[in-house]
Amino acid sequence: MPDSLSFDFEQNEKQPLQEFTEKAYLDYSMYVILDRALPHIGDGLKPVQRRIIYAMSELGLKATAKYKKSARTIGDVLGKFHPHGDSACYEAMVLMAQDFSYRYPLIDGQGNWGSIDDPKSFAAMRYTESKLTAYADVLLGEVGQGTVDWVPNFDGTLEEPKTLPARLPNILLNGTTGIAVGMATDIPPHNLKEVASACIRLLDAPKSTVKELCEHIKGPDFPTKAEIITPQSDIQQMYETGNGSIKMRGVWEKEEGNIVITALPHQSSGSKILEQIAAQMQSKKLPMLEDLRDESDHENPVRLILVPRSNRVNLEELMLHLYATTDLERNYRVNLNIIGLNGRPQVKNLRAILKEWLEYRTETVRRRLQHRLDKVLAQIHVLEGLMIAYLNIDEVIQIIREEDNPKAELMKRFKLSDIQADAVLDLKLRKLAKLEEIKIKGELDELSAERKELDKTLGSAARLKTLIKKEIEADAKEYGDNRQSPLKEGTDAKAIDANSLIPTEPVTIVLSDKGWVRAAKGHEVEPETLNYKSGDSFKQSSLGRSNQQAVFIDSSGRCYSLPAHSLPSARSLGEPISARLTPPDGVTFEGVMAGDPESIYLVGSDAGYGFMLKLEDVYTKNRNGKAIISVPKGAKALAPSKVNDIENDWVVAVTSIGRMLMFPINELSLLPKGKGLKIIQIPPAKLKTREEYVVAMTVMAETDKLVIYSGNKHKTMKSAEQEYYIGERGRRGNMLARGYRNVIRIKAES
């Protein structure tokens, strides 16, 4: 390798990769936090916003000036102060011009600057024109008055203000959002008059609490007429901690029987809301709505029409549903994370923000007054020198004409300073008139009076406070307006239960041996007479309504729920339940339950155990179901039976060898899940070898008659016969009559 290209690695610093990456990431994080994403408490602006505003003021784009192409502004911002992407910079500029995004816009735009419906539909910067708004003077009016610190721009060729000398707490007025590294900020906008009033309150009473300041600031004030429905107590808590949320709700009115939405929550899109409502209508979740249309125009920026199907529709209930299911109601996170005067980000409460901003404002005003005082003193100094010259004009002229170094001679002869001597020498002949002398005397008197006032104000904290208060009041009067977002405590939004939109028709849920299911309309259906697939037959049925859930039990004791209205019609052969659910391998479906959620059912296993459960306790949306009955190894769950009277109904259980037992159902427990209590005794040895197990279990009323199905025959028992099988729960029971001991199923008939 040539010597000129050799590189001595030993002479260079060596650093562990871990330390280097940690420092590099920390540096990047601090840059994002302090120089990109979070606003400064002084002017409430992020660096890119501050640079755009300052660059526009340097271009002379005041509120009274003519509009200039936005591309010119962006070019200046990128070239002089903010060397980043032009699209991101222009988007930041657009945001400050949108009156639906900013409560008090800083930029007055001409052309397409986006719409409420689509804020990002703005035209390219080569097409739009812009200038500053009158409100921007609140931030820029005192820039050239010695009020701010100046820092070099990115290449050190220019200087830019570190912050702008805001006359009002813009941090609260326009708010901001930003995501940094490991932290974020979400500051909502507020009303200018309310914030100004709170500032004055804090100036008059520095010990005012957040609660007392909330007497002035009722809550955020967004650039939309939608209602803020967050309770006042929650808003106060948010201002106490610096964290919380604000809930906004669209405004509507009734017009010719239709719903007319006239205001949307901040940053909500009318077209998106209509899409959300239309999607519900298509999925038949909003049968009470017939039509919807958008009649928004220039005069009515928001006018969405919802046409109900009939005048019997409860509009209040419908709107509460739409609030719960669409962007007609939105939550806004509040996180008052701000870069303070100490240069550090911190979440501050309302009092801390206003107190710190007033400190910033006090220092700004003090610097402004001191700057003016310095200028006045300098001007007085010059004028005093000129007065000396006027009083000795002949001698001054002689010195100027005759001396080789008139400046030094003037300073020596009349005890003038260097500045005063220069001013005398710079005098034009026409200024030697008598009127100029009178004018200088008058100007000296005015400046002396001004100096006296400035000295008094700077020397008195009370005078300084009074001046700040008067300036805040003047700005509030000039730029303030009424609250746009009304504060109302509304009823909680509640989605309409999907089941309530479904017709409530009586249905009979029919389950087959092979696990096929269907729903027949009405309760008069005889399931045994329906057609079944070859090799399949009727297993069990249950009576319910179309807006209720059908619950199925498999042999392992798991329960599954399906909406009854979603089941196939009984005109067909139905469909296998396993197509809609995901049961474990090898299980069979043993029964079905339907009815009101409060309905009670008897469930159990063929090991002779069972309990009562409430139907709503076994509802589940899980396709895999949920375990309800604890089934012993080798056993399986039995078909459930509905309990009509928990105090007077009877349990009937029959084993595979023909033993039957009856006892009052109130001897069993009501459980959400479990194994249950012993219903009928079966010797463990016989149960283990499956020589004996429970084949059927049912519930019957005291006046019912029991029908026993054995083989191809059945028998209806008389009341006297039934009494023979009554015993205590958990006993062995008595044998059925010969010929009826091979029981297939049992049922109660009234």
Side-chain angles (χ1 to χ4, degrees), residues 86-133:
D86 60 341
S87 59
C89 188
Y90 181 51
E91 196 167 323
M93 182 180 179
V94 168
L95 194 68
M96 293 190 286
Q98 293 176 336
D99 58 3
F100 49 84
S101 295
Y102 255 48
R103 183 64 179 83
Y104 299 97
L106 294 164
I107 293 171
D108 180 4
Q110 191 168 261
N112 178 9
W113 289 81
S115 64
I116 298 176
D117 225 28
D118 187 4
K120 296 201 174 182
S121 61
F122 50 85
M125 58 184 167
R126 60 183 178 274
Y127 299 121
T128 61
E129 296 179 336
S130 56
K131 62 179 180 178
L132 294 168
T133 60

Side-chain angles (χ1 to χ4, degrees), residues 265-281:
H266 184 48
Q267 296 175 334
S268 286
S269 163
S271 58
K272 184 181 177 184
I273 288 170
L274 289 180
E275 285 175 15
Q276 291 171 333
I277 297 172
Q280 292 189 47
M281 291 172 69

Side-chain angles (χ1 to χ4, degrees), residues 2 52 132 171 194 215 248 293 345 510 523 564 613 633 643:
I52 291 169
L132 294 168
I171 187 75
E194 291 181 7
E215 294 172 11
M248 287 196 86
R293 58 183 184 270
V510 181
H523 287 169
L613 57 76
K633 188 177 180 180
V643 179

Side-chain angles (χ1 to χ4, degrees), residues 495-511:
I496 298 172
D497 183 8
N499 290 334
S500 66
L501 302 175
I502 301 163
T504 58
E505 302 170 340
V507 290
T508 302
I509 315 295
V510 181
L511 178 67

Side-chain angles (χ1 to χ4, degrees), residues 451-470:
R451 179 182 68 176
K452 191 176 179 182
E453 282 300 315
L454 289 168
D455 280 332
K456 278 184 182 178
T457 306
L458 284 167
S460 168
R463 279 176 174 268
L464 197 60
K465 190 183 289 185
T466 303
L467 176 62
I468 293 167
K469 190 160 63 171
K470 284 181 179 177

Side-chain angles (χ1 to χ4, degrees), residues 378-439:
Q379 208 166 348
I380 288 173
H381 183 63
V382 171
L383 291 175
E384 285 174 343
L386 291 176
M387 278 305 297
I388 292 170
Y390 276 112
L391 292 172
N392 302 277
I393 192 65
D394 293 335
E395 194 175 348
V396 168
I397 292 171
Q398 187 180 356
I399 290 170
I400 293 171
R401 289 187 66 187
E402 296 177 357
E403 292 294 331
D404 293 334
N405 188 357
K407 181 178 178 181
E409 189 60 31
L410 286 172
M411 291 172 68
K412 181 181 177 183
R413 171 68 183 84
F414 301 110
K415 294 185 172 54
L416 299 179
S417 68
D418 189 75
I419 294 170
Q420 288 173 324
D422 282 337
V424 170
L425 291 170
D426 289 341
L427 268 175
K428 293 179 181 178
L429 286 174
R430 78 174 83 176
K431 294 282 186 181
L432 298 176
K434 184 69 177 174
L435 283 173
E436 286 297 325
E437 184 182 342
I438 296 168
K439 187 178 176 183

